[in-house]
Amino acid sequence: MSTTEKSVEELRRFNPLSDLSYDKLLEIVDQAEWLHAKKRSVLMDLGDTEEFSLFLIKGNVLMEAADGRQRVIKHTDAAASSPLSRLRPSRYRVSALTPVSYVKISNALLEELTDPDDASEMISSHYLVEETSEENADFSAQMVAHIY
């Protein structure tokens, strides 16, 4: 399997990208930034306004809210199948707890390649968790609600 094919398959595991055609995924592979960060590196800081989405390929990150709430996300977690902190300005500092590999994709490119129905579904999927009652939700659902 070529590096390009491997990259396309890696992108396919992310919720907002899983239904895109091979050609659209190939366009993302070509235009995205494929990055690595050392332990303790800050991938995104509180208040960042840059319009991009981060997708965790490998490693563990800490998402820390302005109020001090924290959540660890591992690349194997269900939460890692979605972008890390899409809201702008960013409400979270995202730091590497281990060496990490991640992809940084322009939000404009994501919007261009997804049709309007998919885009609204992608956005609503990040906020759907907040509609559940926190008293009746399990701990991980409560944490996702606080993150998004």
Side-chain angles (χ1 to χ4, degrees):
M1 183 180 286
S2 74
T3 303
T4 301
E5 289 171 340
K6 185 175 186 244
S7 298
V8 166
E9 287 308 309
E10 284 178 331
L11 290 179
R12 216 177 270 292
R13 78 176 174 94
F14 298 109
N15 288 333
L17 309 176
S18 61
D19 293 331
L20 294 179
S21 70
Y22 183 86
D23 290 338
K24 287 182 177 182
L25 289 171
L26 199 53
E27 191 172 340
I28 292 173
V29 166
D30 291 339
Q31 294 185 41
E33 293 180 61
W34 296 81
L35 304 165
H36 301 281
K38 295 179 181 177
K39 185 177 179 178
R40 293 189 206 79
S41 298
V42 175
L43 312 182
M44 180 186 304
D45 212 345
L46 283 165
D48 275 355
T49 57
E50 192 176 354
E51 291 293 325
F52 63 84
S53 292
L54 298 180
F55 295 88
L56 184 61
I57 304 280
K58 189 158 180 77
N60 303 338
V61 297
L62 173 67
M63 293 186 68
E64 188 173 14
D67 65 3
R69 280 184 272 180
Q70 298 181 344
R71 176 162 188 220
V72 173
I73 297 180
K74 300 175 183 178
H75 70 276
T76 54
D77 293 346
S81 65
S82 297
L84 302 172
S85 187
R86 284 190 50 89
L87 298 176
R88 293 295 172 268
S90 175
R91 302 205 199 292
Y92 298 91
R93 172 178 293 118
V94 182
S95 306
L97 290 176
T98 66
V100 297
S101 297
Y102 63 104
V103 62
K104 183 175 174 180
I105 305 171
S106 156
N107 289 344
L109 177 62
L110 289 174
E111 290 170 15
E112 174 187 324
L113 295 177
T114 57
D115 68 40
D117 293 337
D118 290 344
S120 63
E121 183 179 316
M122 178 171 66
I123 291 168
S124 67
S125 71
H126 292 292
Y127 299 100
L128 186 61
V129 175
E130 290 185 302
E131 295 174 12
T132 64
S133 166
E134 286 194 23
E135 295 82 33
N136 297 331
D138 66 15
F139 178 74
S140 62
Q142 290 177 33
M143 290 306 299
V144 170
H146 290 291
I147 288 173
Y148 294 108

